[in-house]
Amino acid sequence: MIIQGTETLTSIIHIFSESLLTPVVVLLVVSGVITILTLGGLINEYISRKPINSRDLENLVRKISFSNNVDQMKNEIVNSDLFDYQKEVLTRIANNYDIGCDARKAFASELISAEETRLIKKTNKTDILVRVGPSLGLLGTLIPLGPGLAALGTGDIMTLAQSLTIAFDTTVTGLTIGALAYIVSKYKKQWYETELIDLETLAEAELESINNW
């Protein structure tokens, strides 16, 4: 037995669901473009980036630890193979060699935390796409199935075929977006985590050396 008023409500839901198909497809296309651009950015960053290796990091830690004054320390930092943002953080710490030990340590911690936040924001976009991509793909799969099944009931095979084509295309696109975005986020997070560990190691060496002056 159908409750009175249910047909009206289901009709409203049906209209709402059908109206979502175009926005879902548009969002899938936009997400796909963004994913391709971020993947290209990942490849470009992989080719151009030159992280400091463990041997050079060890040598830099020793040079910083045995620095006799702030100018020598800053010179070792500037001439190293560190990334620019790492050099900037370490140089700012060195420039504040004349403040108290606790204040200097807190300042260094704040600088590193700020850089960590900045690097995390660089992966926010792909982190969102990891979840949004498959969700949009699922929506794009389910929405056309309603009209497709209705067409099947009336024997309209052509409409059913079109609905199934849209459903499969959006599924594949959504899953591809999610997979590629996951790869981009995974690699970038690994890179940034390693960079931050190197930065923390050098900052500790820097602070210890300054405390011994």
Side-chain angles (χ1 to χ4, degrees), residues 52 57 60-61 64 82 86 90 197-207:
I52 189 170
L57 178 64
L60 183 57
V61 168
I64 290 177
L82 296 172
Q86 292 174 317
L90 296 174
I197 291 174
D198 292 344
L199 181 58
E200 290 174 357
T201 301
L202 293 168
E204 286 290 337
E206 192 176 20
L207 291 171

Side-chain angles (χ1 to χ4, degrees), residues 15-69:
I15 295 172
F16 177 73
S17 175
E18 290 294 305
S19 66
L20 288 176
L21 181 58
T22 300
V24 166
V25 173
V26 171
L27 288 174
L28 274 173
V29 172
V30 173
S31 299
V33 172
I34 294 174
T35 302
I36 293 173
L37 293 176
T38 55
L39 182 62
L42 176 73
I43 296 172
N44 181 65
E45 186 174 353
Y46 175 78
I47 296 173
S48 60
R49 74 191 312 271
K50 296 179 180 179
I52 189 170
N53 58 51
S54 58
R55 179 66 66 179
D56 290 338
L57 178 64
E58 178 184 354
N59 292 334
L60 183 57
V61 168
R62 293 183 61 83
K63 290 177 181 178
I64 290 177
S65 297
F66 293 114
S67 297
N68 296 318
N69 53 66

Side-chain angles (χ1 to χ4, degrees), residues 1 16 21 29 51 64 80 87-89 103 107 121 129 131 142 164 166 171 208:
M1 181 180 66
F16 177 73
L21 181 58
V29 172
I64 290 177
S80 67
K87 293 180 180 180
E88 181 181 356
V89 170
F107 177 67
K121 287 181 179 179
L129 290 175
R131 296 184 178 275
L142 296 177
L164 291 177
I166 295 173
T171 300
E208 183 177 353

Side-chain angles (χ1 to χ4, degrees), residues 2 14 65 71 77 99 106 124 136 142 150 167 177 198 202 206:
I2 299 178
H14 177 71
S65 297
D71 291 330
I77 293 170
I99 64 177
N124 281 347
L136 291 174
L142 296 177
I177 289 171
D198 292 344
L202 293 168
E206 192 176 20

